[in-house]
Amino acid sequence: MYAIVNKRCLAEGIYLMDIDAPRMARSSQPGQFLIVRTHEQGERIPLTICDYDAVKGVITIVTQIVGASSRQICIKEKGETLLDVMGPLGHPSEFIHLSKEELAQQHYLFIAGGVGAAPVYPQVKWLHQQGAKADVIIGAKNAGMVILEEEMRKISNELFITTDDGSAGTKGLVTDKLKQLLAEGKKYTHIIAIGPMVMMKFVALATKDSGIPLTVSLNTLMVDGTGMCGACRVSVGGKTKFACVDGPEFNGYVVDFDEAMRRQVMYKTMELDADHKCKIGLDGK
Ligand code: NAD
Ligand code: FES
């Protein structure tokens, strides 16, 4: 059992929780994720690690209500527990292997779409602690859905906000701001995009001729998280990869996003049905 020691609402349907998990807090690194289960029959939900504090022994997760299982996490309150929290899983971000001298040469651009700001945060924080330069674009539907803005402002070199309706920052998509920055002559050494699959696809299309390496983090369906079940299968560079053990980060230019998007919605009807039962209390939880 893992106790929820803090909970806060970041935006409508998006919750941040600090979880008491000392061993995980000591071993987590930027780019990794974990799998949460709320009860014995519960679905296993992959969530990116938003922060970790080895001294306090807590890890921070951010969950958006998108179906029954994420709702079952989000309705938990401070003082309640999650049945299992398994992790950290997946490879950490590649940049953690660079020396201080190599990091000093880099100028990263992070593109965070919606809840994608949560997994971007620990990466930018780690780079900031190493003295490396990272600009960040956070894109959201509207001002109310922009999350972690103040936290990100403290650790990023430059922070740009875009909203689809123009209610905060610049009106438009993250790709509009990206194209503008590149057109202005910004010399980024690496772009890292994390957010909706469709956003990552269009970031890849926008930057493919720029010569700038692009890393994306794939939030596929997952079950075991250990490379056994195949649920997280993706095609990368024409080869089958498992996002849980080979990723979650991949070269964004060779990911088959169309296939990944098709697989992501495979169980949509069942998910909607389960969420309806969860809302009206028929799921027994
Ligand atoms: P959203 O639909 O509000 O999109 C966020 C931003 O992404 C938009 O404001 C826009 O700027 C950009 N975007 C969306 N579609 C685009 C397109 N076609 N072209 C260019 N830019 C586009 O996001 P949301 O509702 O917060 O959903 C967040 C998504 O992020 C969920 O699908 C969730 O599964 C995913 N997610 C991914 C990760 C990961 O590791 N990849 C982690 C957390 C969440
Ligand atoms: Fe089962 Fe990746 S989640 S193989």
Side-chain angles (χ1 to χ4, degrees), residues 93-108 126-127 130 132 189-190 192:
S93 305
E94 271 187 16
F95 56 66
I96 69 156
H97 303 297
L98 298 182
S99 66
K100 279 239 174 204
E101 293 69 30
E102 287 168 320
L103 283 167
Q105 307 297 315
Q106 306 297 316
H107 189 174
Y108 291 93
W126 189 92
L127 288 167
Q130 310 304 313
T189 53
H190 204 126
I192 298 171

Side-chain angles (χ1 to χ4, degrees), residues 1-261:
M1 293 283 195
Y2 291 81
I4 299 163
V5 294
N6 184 36
K7 177 185 178 185
R8 119 177 121 93
C9 179
L10 296 181
E12 192 185 342
I14 305 177
Y15 295 89
L16 176 148
M17 289 175 179
D18 290 333
I19 313 291
D20 184 36
R23 284 177 58 191
M24 234 176 289
R26 277 198 301 275
S27 51
S28 293
Q29 291 183 299
Q32 291 186 295
F33 67 97
L34 43 76
I35 289 184
V36 173
R37 211 163 51 120
T38 52
H39 58 279
E40 278 295 342
Q41 287 76 38
E43 194 190 347
R44 297 155 67 87
I45 306 286
L47 294 172
T48 28
I49 300 170
C50 176
D51 206 359
Y52 43 89
D53 186 328
V55 178
K56 291 186 185 157
V58 297
I59 48 161
T60 304
I61 57 171
V62 170
T63 315
Q64 180 175 36
I65 301 178
V66 291
S69 303
S70 48
R71 185 178 301 280
Q72 281 156 359
I73 297 174
C74 291
I75 58 176
K76 296 266 181 189
E77 295 298 341
K78 179 178 168 182
E80 293 191 76
T81 54
L82 300 170
L83 178 64
D84 304 321
V85 182
M86 182 174 92
L89 298 168
H91 292 287
S93 305
E94 271 187 16
F95 56 66
I96 69 156
H97 303 297
L98 298 182
S99 66
K100 279 239 174 204
E101 293 69 30
E102 287 168 320
L103 283 167
Q105 307 297 315
Q106 306 297 316
H107 189 174
Y108 291 93
L109 174 64
F110 283 84
I111 303 176
V115 195
V120 162
Y121 178 75
Q123 302 201 18
V124 178
K125 184 175 172 186
W126 189 92
L127 288 167
H128 176 71
Q129 286 167 343
Q130 310 304 313
K133 213 156 106 177
D135 293 1
V136 180
I137 305 172
I138 298 180
K141 288 186 181 66
N142 54 50
M145 298 305 282
V146 177
I147 63 164
L148 302 172
E149 179 178 352
E150 286 321 307
E151 291 85 345
M152 206 76 88
R153 200 172 294 286
K154 290 183 191 145
I155 53 172
S156 53
N157 177 57
E158 278 195 89
L159 176 66
F160 308 97
I161 304 291
T162 67
T163 48
D164 303 2
D165 67 356
S167 53
T170 316
K171 185 176 189 321
L173 303 174
V174 288
T175 40
D176 297 324
K177 178 55 78 178
L178 164 67
K179 287 174 195 164
Q180 183 198 328
L181 293 174
L182 296 180
E184 284 169 1
K186 290 270 192 189
K187 299 276 178 256
Y188 293 112
T189 53
H190 204 126
I191 297 175
I192 298 171
I194 310 182
M197 207 68 92
V198 65
M199 178 204 89
M200 297 189 280
K201 171 184 168 168
F202 280 98
V203 168
L205 288 172
T207 55
K208 70 177 183 342
D209 297 326
S210 67
I212 307 171
L214 170 69
T215 298
V216 296
S217 179
L218 299 185
N219 61 318
T220 57
L221 296 175
M222 287 193 191
V223 179
D224 65 324
T226 62
M228 302 290 284
C229 72
C232 65
R233 176 168 65 78
V234 283
S235 297
V236 181
K239 295 200 171 90
T240 295
K241 298 280 178 189
F242 296 127
C244 66
V245 288
D246 299 319
E249 296 188 348
F250 293 99
N251 173 355
Y253 294 126
V254 292
V255 170
D256 184 339
F257 286 109
D258 293 331
E259 181 196 67
M261 284 189 277

